């Protein structure tokens, strides 16, 4: 089972950026989404994050403590059942800097290494189609740079690439 991951955090220009939000989607479309309270990340956000990420946060019931997110995320991953592998377009930031730091006790059914998937790595033949598919996802109030929307867009692109014969390096 693939779990499509995206995170939003305080900035790529930081050595240890703080997590703002996390979104995962499984193969069936089941979702996990959570945000940390502004007190966790507020003073550290760079200008790009202020303009491109923060306006799209949902707030309300999605804002939870780090401990609560950690507990619920492990429960969600383990409830998927079977062996799971993370698919992300940015493993250094999303997987290694954010998910691994968030989950010091690793879920039993989650492999320790992600699969990287990037539209840009798919070559000239598939890249325009994948980009168009992703662009079509971001309509009707879905915003790019929102962790859950980006995880869904990634899932759409990967499923399309698999239909066209792409096989991930495991």
């Amino acid at each position: 089972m693939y779990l499509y991951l995206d995170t939003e955090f305080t900035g790529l220009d930081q050595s240890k950026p703080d997590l703002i939000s996390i979104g995962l989607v499984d193969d069936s479309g089941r979702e996990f989404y959570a945000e940390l309270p502004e007190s966790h990340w507020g003073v550290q956000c760079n200008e790009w994050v202020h303009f491109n990420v923060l306006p799209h946060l949902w707030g309300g019931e999605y804002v939870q403590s780090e401990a609560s997110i950690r507990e619920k995320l492990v429960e969600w991953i383990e409830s998927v059942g079977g062996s799971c592998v993370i698919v992300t377009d940015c493993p250094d930031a999303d997987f290694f800097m954010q998910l691994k730091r968030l989950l010091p006790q690793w879920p039993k059914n989650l492999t320790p290494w992600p699969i990287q998937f990037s539209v840009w790595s798919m070559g000239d033949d598939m890249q325009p189609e994948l980009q168009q598919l992703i662009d079509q996802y971001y309509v009707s109030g879905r915003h790019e740079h929102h962790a859950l929307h980006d995880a869904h867009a990634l899932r759409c692109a990967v499923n399309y690439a698999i239909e066209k014969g792409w096989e991930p390096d495991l």
Side-chain angles (χ1 to χ4, degrees), residues 5-9 19-25 31-38 40-41 53 56-74 76 98 102 146-149 151:
L5 166 70
D6 191 71
T7 65
E8 301 301 336
F9 46 88
L19 182 66
I20 296 172
S21 62
I22 183 168
L24 288 100
V25 180
E31 304 172 339
F32 179 90
Y33 178 71
E35 299 172 5
L36 285 157
E38 186 175 354
H40 181 82
W41 47 261
V53 174
H56 307 302
L57 295 176
W58 290 346
E61 68 184 271
Y62 297 101
V63 177
Q64 302 168 36
S65 70
E66 188 172 354
S68 177
I69 292 171
R70 179 179 296 117
E71 181 181 316
K72 290 176 182 178
L73 181 55
V74 168
W76 185 86
Q98 299 303 330
L102 182 63
H146 181 278
L148 186 58
H149 293 310

Side-chain angles (χ1 to χ4, degrees), residues 74 79 105 116 121 128 143 151:
V74 168
S79 75
Q105 292 189 325
Q116 180 176 7
S121 68
H143 297 281

